[in-house]
Amino acid sequence: MPPARYRVAIVGAGPSGLFAAQYLTARDDVEVDIFDRLPTPYGLLRYGVAPDHTTIKSVANALSAVFDSPAVRFLGLVNFGRDVTREDLLASYDAVIYAVGASEDLRLGVPGEDALGSRSAREFVAWYSGHPDAEPQSLFGIRQAAAVGVGNVAVDVARILVKDSLALEDTDMPEDVLAELRRARVSDVWVIGRRGPQHASFTTTELRELCRTPGVQVSVDPEAFDGIDSEALDRRSRANVTVLREAAAADVRSPRARLHFLFWRRPVELQGNPVTGMALERTTLDAAGRVVGTGETEELSVQLVLRAIGYRAVRLPGVPFDETLGVIPSMHGRVVAGDAVAPREYVVGWIKRGPVGVIGTNKSDARETVEHLLADLAELGQLPSRVDLLDVLATRGFAPSTYADWRRIEAAEANRGASHERERMKIEAWHELLDLVLRERPGGPIPPG
Ligand SMILES: Cc1cc2nc3c(=O)[nH]c(=O)nc-3n(C[C@H](O)[C@H](O)[C@H](O)COP(=O)(O)OP(=O)(O)OC[C@H]3O[C@@H](n4cnc5c(N)ncnc54)[C@H](O)[C@@H]3O)c2cc1C
Ligand SMILES: NC(=O)c1ccc[n+]([C@@H]2O[C@H](COP(=O)([O-])OP(=O)(O)OC[C@H]3O[C@@H](n4cnc5c(N)ncnc54)[C@H](OP(=O)(O)O)[C@@H]3O)[C@@H](O)[C@H]2O)c1
């Protein structure tokens, strides 16, 4: 292999960062270091995509091929903004790609939102996905739950709540999560949309899967279908409406759980602490097509409210950020600071486009960014002098975790799975992940944090 000419840092080892690495290393004159705050790659593919969606989860196998390249290094346990700065990266790499996704969530902004029993779907998903930062979720005493929002995340959390836990036994969920789901006795789940079924953002395949969950009776507030002109809808919305109509018409004998779709309602208050109920206001659209309340309210008895109303990116220290759109501002993947392009800085994935789009969307997105990055580097050339960031970190007493460390975590998860007759069982505790990282370097530098 000829000596690499360019060195590129990618911050974030989620799908978008790994697609970008794939495109970069399709050339033989680029070396790539992929940083992540976790010792585990794959971002939301590992910690967001539902454990029972094994086909899409297997995209990780294809993405892992990028690490086979000798031109690629995985540098885990490196938190941008805490362990490395923008200046560190710009001094060590010819270009930097930010691929950090959107790690926070939106809030409803209603009274009672912080009460016990009110959480974001993001936190709930992190829990059942075994994210090391996740707080345990108790489902004790919860009979009625609500997911606010009618997107695919709402569909995921509703499905996990109504699905027979036996059907989750062969997933990679941590054992204590499965144990909690086995104990759970949730009988009713409401999925609540502030507009109509024709406006819902869930995709039909996901909606159909939810509505066909064995042992679950679906109901849809019949008024929700009033005034819908199916012919005027796009294909996805029309199919969604059909799925909902058919599901509501189907009679399930002795259902184990009931799933209720409520449209044209928005939460205005969560009552009790812990939550015992929620006040919903009927909604309509004003002349400008905005959602407005009608003033008519009703009460719903629930002990768990999961807001699934969208994710939100956080500002990276020192990096331009558009607070309104929640993205790093960019043009064709080039970071923009004020009115000018910030040389050698790029962006991909959810932090570029906002928190929408499936795994595959990040592929074409990464290609666009990488094409512009490579065109710019051809003009700008290499940095006049480069320092090796690993040397810089070593002087700070810090060695990132490696891809070999991740493979050891993976092997330990496979071992744990085998003892439960499962392919894999996630290791979710920070101390266990760090034990596995440090096993091969006793006495070696300990990552901070
Ligand atoms: C709950 C949920 C379920 C989903 N299910 C599906 C599905 O079934 N099918 C599908 O196609 N799509 C699904 N998606 C969408 C898909 O997950 C996203 O399109 C995709 O993950 C976005 O990729 P990304 O790389 O931009 O961000 P992410 O996947 O979020 O990756 C960002 C990475 O950056 C790292 N990071 C963040 N901050 C820092 C920092 N300061 N320093 C270092 N590293 C950092 C994170 O640890 C993470 O590894 C789902 C999304 C969600 C939220
Ligand atoms: N299986 C899969 O393929 C899968 C699984 C999960 C996620 N994903 C993808 O990941 C992305 C994110 O999904 P998501 O579900 O988080 O986002 P989403 O699709 O944008 O859905 C957000 C939902 O929240 C509603 N909402 C927003 N603010 C609200 C408020 N203040 N009060 C009440 N409702 C509010 C929205 O309604 P309005 O439309 O009225 O704003 C919408 O119904 C999507 O692209 C999704 O397809 C894919």
Side-chain angles (χ1 to χ4, degrees), residues 249-272:
D251 215 8
V252 175
R253 284 194 152 196
S254 315
R256 193 187 60 262
R258 283 171 296 272
L259 178 68
H260 317 265
F261 286 89
L262 274 184
F263 291 96
W264 297 110
R265 279 139 172 116
R266 66 179 181 194
V268 285
E269 185 181 7
L270 272 58
Q271 295 137 342

mmCIF file of all heavy atoms in Angstrom, residues 249-272:
data_model
loop_
_atom_site.group_PDB
_atom_site.id
_atom_site.type_symbol
_atom_site.label_atom_id
_atom_site.label_comp_id
_atom_site.label_asym_id
_atom_site.label_seq_id
_atom_site.Cartn_x
_atom_site.Cartn_y
_atom_site.Cartn_z
ATOM 1 N N ALA A 249 -60.828 -2.971 12.897
ATOM 2 C CA ALA A 249 -62.000 -3.797 12.570
ATOM 3 C C ALA A 249 -61.792 -5.249 12.992
ATOM 4 O O ALA A 249 -62.761 -6.007 13.128
ATOM 5 C CB ALA A 249 -62.259 -3.724 11.062
ATOM 6 N N ALA A 250 -60.551 -5.652 13.202
ATOM 7 C CA ALA A 250 -60.272 -7.059 13.529
ATOM 8 C C ALA A 250 -60.537 -7.322 15.010
ATOM 9 O O ALA A 250 -60.176 -6.510 15.871
ATOM 10 C CB ALA A 250 -58.822 -7.387 13.196
ATOM 11 N N ASP A 251 -61.182 -8.462 15.260
ATOM 12 C CA ASP A 251 -61.510 -8.814 16.635
ATOM 13 C C ASP A 251 -60.501 -9.839 17.146
ATOM 14 O O ASP A 251 -60.347 -10.902 16.559
ATOM 15 C CB ASP A 251 -62.915 -9.431 16.629
ATOM 16 C CG ASP A 251 -63.651 -9.060 17.882
ATOM 17 O OD1 ASP A 251 -63.127 -8.234 18.641
ATOM 18 O OD2 ASP A 251 -64.748 -9.622 18.089
ATOM 19 N N VAL A 252 -59.805 -9.509 18.217
ATOM 20 C CA VAL A 252 -58.834 -10.456 18.788
ATOM 21 C C VAL A 252 -59.475 -11.089 20.013
ATOM 22 O O VAL A 252 -59.925 -10.395 20.921
ATOM 23 C CB VAL A 252 -57.519 -9.728 19.167
ATOM 24 C CG1 VAL A 252 -56.553 -10.671 19.872
ATOM 25 C CG2 VAL A 252 -56.879 -9.125 17.931
ATOM 26 N N ARG A 253 -59.515 -12.408 20.032
ATOM 27 C CA ARG A 253 -60.166 -13.113 21.139
ATOM 28 C C ARG A 253 -59.287 -13.096 22.382
ATOM 29 O O ARG A 253 -58.093 -13.327 22.292
ATOM 30 C CB ARG A 253 -60.407 -14.566 20.748
ATOM 31 C CG ARG A 253 -61.556 -14.713 19.799
ATOM 32 C CD ARG A 253 -61.933 -16.131 19.728
ATOM 33 N NE ARG A 253 -63.328 -16.269 19.399
ATOM 34 C CZ ARG A 253 -63.976 -17.396 19.580
ATOM 35 N NH1 ARG A 253 -63.373 -18.425 20.133
ATOM 36 N NH2 ARG A 253 -65.230 -17.479 19.221
ATOM 37 N N SER A 254 -59.876 -12.851 23.527
ATOM 38 C CA SER A 254 -59.176 -12.811 24.819
ATOM 39 C C SER A 254 -57.803 -12.146 24.703
ATOM 40 O O SER A 254 -56.770 -12.794 24.909
ATOM 41 C CB SER A 254 -58.971 -14.216 25.382
ATOM 42 O OG SER A 254 -60.126 -14.964 25.266
ATOM 43 N N PRO A 255 -57.777 -10.882 24.326
ATOM 44 C CA PRO A 255 -56.472 -10.227 24.130
ATOM 45 C C PRO A 255 -55.668 -10.170 25.420
ATOM 46 O O PRO A 255 -56.222 -10.028 26.510
ATOM 47 C CB PRO A 255 -56.839 -8.822 23.665
ATOM 48 C CG PRO A 255 -58.240 -8.610 24.082
ATOM 49 C CD PRO A 255 -58.902 -9.950 24.133
ATOM 50 N N ARG A 256 -54.361 -10.266 25.245
ATOM 51 C CA ARG A 256 -53.454 -10.141 26.399
ATOM 52 C C ARG A 256 -53.279 -8.660 26.738
ATOM 53 O O ARG A 256 -53.092 -8.267 27.874
ATOM 54 C CB ARG A 256 -52.094 -10.753 26.019
ATOM 55 C CG ARG A 256 -51.137 -10.991 27.162
ATOM 56 C CD ARG A 256 -49.753 -11.430 26.679
ATOM 57 N NE ARG A 256 -49.141 -10.429 25.826
ATOM 58 C CZ ARG A 256 -49.141 -10.449 24.495
ATOM 59 N NH1 ARG A 256 -49.667 -11.468 23.852
ATOM 60 N NH2 ARG A 256 -48.606 -9.478 23.790
ATOM 61 N N ALA A 257 -53.338 -7.817 25.683
ATOM 62 C CA ALA A 257 -53.164 -6.372 25.878
ATOM 63 C C ALA A 257 -53.969 -5.627 24.819
ATOM 64 O O ALA A 257 -54.324 -6.195 23.786
ATOM 65 C CB ALA A 257 -51.687 -6.008 25.768
ATOM 66 N N ARG A 258 -54.246 -4.364 25.117
ATOM 67 C CA ARG A 258 -54.991 -3.532 24.160
ATOM 68 C C ARG A 258 -54.142 -2.312 23.782
ATOM 69 O O ARG A 258 -53.473 -1.721 24.633
ATOM 70 C CB ARG A 258 -56.312 -3.064 24.772
ATOM 71 C CG ARG A 258 -57.386 -4.145 24.794
ATOM 72 C CD ARG A 258 -58.603 -3.703 25.596
ATOM 73 N NE ARG A 258 -58.261 -3.506 26.995
ATOM 74 C CZ ARG A 258 -58.291 -4.480 27.909
ATOM 75 N NH1 ARG A 258 -58.674 -5.705 27.585
ATOM 76 N NH2 ARG A 258 -57.946 -4.233 29.158
ATOM 77 N N LEU A 259 -54.220 -2.005 22.486
ATOM 78 C CA LEU A 259 -53.454 -0.872 21.961
ATOM 79 C C LEU A 259 -54.459 0.122 21.395
ATOM 80 O O LEU A 259 -55.257 -0.237 20.528
ATOM 81 C CB LEU A 259 -52.550 -1.407 20.843
ATOM 82 C CG LEU A 259 -51.685 -0.425 20.098
ATOM 83 C CD1 LEU A 259 -50.597 0.127 21.012
ATOM 84 C CD2 LEU A 259 -51.034 -1.141 18.904
ATOM 85 N N HIS A 260 -54.435 1.333 21.921
ATOM 86 C CA HIS A 260 -55.427 2.329 21.505
ATOM 87 C C HIS A 260 -54.733 3.473 20.776
ATOM 88 O O HIS A 260 -53.820 4.084 21.334
ATOM 89 C CB HIS A 260 -56.138 2.939 22.717
ATOM 90 C CG HIS A 260 -56.535 1.938 23.764
ATOM 91 N ND1 HIS A 260 -57.780 1.370 23.817
ATOM 92 C CD2 HIS A 260 -55.851 1.400 24.808
ATOM 93 C CE1 HIS A 260 -57.844 0.537 24.852
ATOM 94 N NE2 HIS A 260 -56.675 0.539 25.462
ATOM 95 N N PHE A 261 -55.158 3.756 19.553
ATOM 96 C CA PHE A 261 -54.627 4.931 18.857
ATOM 97 C C PHE A 261 -55.587 6.089 19.083
ATOM 98 O O PHE A 261 -56.786 5.967 18.813
ATOM 99 C CB PHE A 261 -54.503 4.656 17.358
ATOM 100 C CG PHE A 261 -53.361 3.747 17.018
ATOM 101 C CD1 PHE A 261 -53.536 2.358 17.001
ATOM 102 C CD2 PHE A 261 -52.103 4.262 16.733
ATOM 103 C CE1 PHE A 261 -52.484 1.517 16.692
ATOM 104 C CE2 PHE A 261 -51.045 3.420 16.421
ATOM 105 C CZ PHE A 261 -51.230 2.045 16.399
ATOM 106 N N LEU A 262 -55.041 7.169 19.599
ATOM 107 C CA LEU A 262 -55.842 8.377 19.810
ATOM 108 C C LEU A 262 -55.235 9.485 18.967
ATOM 109 O O LEU A 262 -54.072 9.847 19.162
ATOM 110 C CB LEU A 262 -55.768 8.816 21.275
ATOM 111 C CG LEU A 262 -56.706 8.223 22.296
ATOM 112 C CD1 LEU A 262 -56.486 8.917 23.636
ATOM 113 C CD2 LEU A 262 -58.164 8.379 21.858
ATOM 114 N N PHE A 263 -56.003 10.028 18.035
ATOM 115 C CA PHE A 263 -55.483 11.115 17.202
ATOM 116 C C PHE A 263 -56.166 12.434 17.576
ATOM 117 O O PHE A 263 -57.154 12.453 18.308
ATOM 118 C CB PHE A 263 -55.710 10.792 15.721
ATOM 119 C CG PHE A 263 -54.842 9.636 15.247
ATOM 120 C CD1 PHE A 263 -55.353 8.332 15.206
ATOM 121 C CD2 PHE A 263 -53.529 9.838 14.873
ATOM 122 C CE1 PHE A 263 -54.561 7.271 14.782
ATOM 123 C CE2 PHE A 263 -52.727 8.783 14.446
ATOM 124 C CZ PHE A 263 -53.244 7.494 14.403
ATOM 125 N N TRP A 264 -55.636 13.516 17.055
ATOM 126 C CA TRP A 264 -56.178 14.864 17.303
ATOM 127 C C TRP A 264 -56.267 15.175 18.793
ATOM 128 O O TRP A 264 -57.247 15.712 19.278
ATOM 129 C CB TRP A 264 -57.541 15.034 16.617
ATOM 130 C CG TRP A 264 -57.461 14.925 15.128
ATOM 131 C CD1 TRP A 264 -57.946 13.907 14.370
ATOM 132 C CD2 TRP A 264 -56.847 15.850 14.227
ATOM 133 N NE1 TRP A 264 -57.667 14.128 13.038
ATOM 134 C CE2 TRP A 264 -56.993 15.323 12.921
ATOM 135 C CE3 TRP A 264 -56.183 17.076 14.374
ATOM 136 C CZ2 TRP A 264 -56.500 15.974 11.779
ATOM 137 C CZ3 TRP A 264 -55.704 17.712 13.241
ATOM 138 C CH2 TRP A 264 -55.860 17.165 11.976
ATOM 139 N N ARG A 265 -55.185 14.814 19.504
ATOM 140 C CA ARG A 265 -55.107 15.133 20.938
ATOM 141 C C ARG A 265 -53.662 15.456 21.298
ATOM 142 O O ARG A 265 -52.735 14.878 20.737
ATOM 143 C CB ARG A 265 -55.542 13.947 21.802
ATOM 144 C CG ARG A 265 -57.045 13.825 21.939
ATOM 145 C CD ARG A 265 -57.391 12.386 21.839
ATOM 146 N NE ARG A 265 -58.785 12.162 22.157
ATOM 147 C CZ ARG A 265 -59.654 11.699 21.262
ATOM 148 N NH1 ARG A 265 -59.291 11.479 20.011
ATOM 149 N NH2 ARG A 265 -60.900 11.472 21.612
ATOM 150 N N ARG A 266 -53.518 16.355 22.268
ATOM 151 C CA ARG A 266 -52.172 16.615 22.778
ATOM 152 C C ARG A 266 -52.208 16.705 24.301
ATOM 153 O O ARG A 266 -53.194 17.198 24.870
ATOM 154 C CB ARG A 266 -51.608 17.904 22.187
ATOM 155 C CG ARG A 266 -52.351 19.141 22.615
ATOM 156 C CD ARG A 266 -51.707 20.383 22.015
ATOM 157 N NE ARG A 266 -52.398 21.592 22.446
ATOM 158 C CZ ARG A 266 -52.229 22.768 21.889
ATOM 159 N NH1 ARG A 266 -51.418 22.906 20.858
ATOM 160 N NH2 ARG A 266 -52.870 23.832 22.346
ATOM 161 N N PRO A 267 -51.137 16.221 24.934
ATOM 162 C CA PRO A 267 -51.109 16.297 26.396
ATOM 163 C C PRO A 267 -50.993 17.751 26.834
ATOM 164 O O PRO A 267 -50.220 18.503 26.239
ATOM 165 C CB PRO A 267 -49.830 15.537 26.782
ATOM 166 C CG PRO A 267 -49.347 14.870 25.550
ATOM 167 C CD PRO A 267 -49.935 15.586 24.380
ATOM 168 N N VAL A 268 -51.765 18.120 27.843
ATOM 169 C CA VAL A 268 -51.612 19.472 28.386
ATOM 170 C C VAL A 268 -51.148 19.433 29.835
ATOM 171 O O VAL A 268 -50.661 20.424 30.363
ATOM 172 C CB VAL A 268 -52.907 20.318 28.255
ATOM 173 C CG1 VAL A 268 -53.097 20.781 26.817
ATOM 174 C CG2 VAL A 268 -54.130 19.561 28.731
ATOM 175 N N GLU A 269 -51.287 18.276 30.484
ATOM 176 C CA GLU A 269 -50.793 18.155 31.855
ATOM 177 C C GLU A 269 -50.623 16.686 32.219
ATOM 178 O O GLU A 269 -51.438 15.843 31.832
ATOM 179 C CB GLU A 269 -51.790 18.812 32.834
ATOM 180 C CG GLU A 269 -51.269 18.819 34.239
ATOM 181 C CD GLU A 269 -52.255 19.440 35.242
ATOM 182 O OE1 GLU A 269 -53.401 19.749 34.849
ATOM 183 O OE2 GLU A 269 -51.860 19.566 36.412
ATOM 184 N N LEU A 270 -49.555 16.407 32.957
ATOM 185 C CA LEU A 270 -49.394 15.064 33.534
ATOM 186 C C LEU A 270 -49.716 15.186 35.011
ATOM 187 O O LEU A 270 -49.191 16.090 35.689
ATOM 188 C CB LEU A 270 -47.958 14.566 33.331
ATOM 189 C CG LEU A 270 -47.695 13.841 32.011
ATOM 190 C CD1 LEU A 270 -48.015 14.699 30.808
ATOM 191 C CD2 LEU A 270 -46.249 13.383 31.936
ATOM 192 N N GLN A 271 -50.602 14.307 35.487
ATOM 193 C CA GLN A 271 -51.068 14.458 36.864
ATOM 194 C C GLN A 271 -50.406 13.444 37.783
ATOM 195 O O GLN A 271 -50.159 12.307 37.378
ATOM 196 C CB GLN A 271 -52.588 14.279 36.911
ATOM 197 C CG GLN A 271 -53.322 15.366 36.144
ATOM 198 C CD GLN A 271 -54.464 14.835 35.302
ATOM 199 O OE1 GLN A 271 -54.522 13.634 35.024
ATOM 200 N NE2 GLN A 271 -55.346 15.707 34.866
ATOM 201 N N GLY A 272 -50.170 13.874 39.018
ATOM 202 C CA GLY A 272 -49.627 12.967 40.041
ATOM 203 C C GLY A 272 -48.123 12.843 39.948
ATOM 204 O O GLY A 272 -47.516 13.117 38.925
#
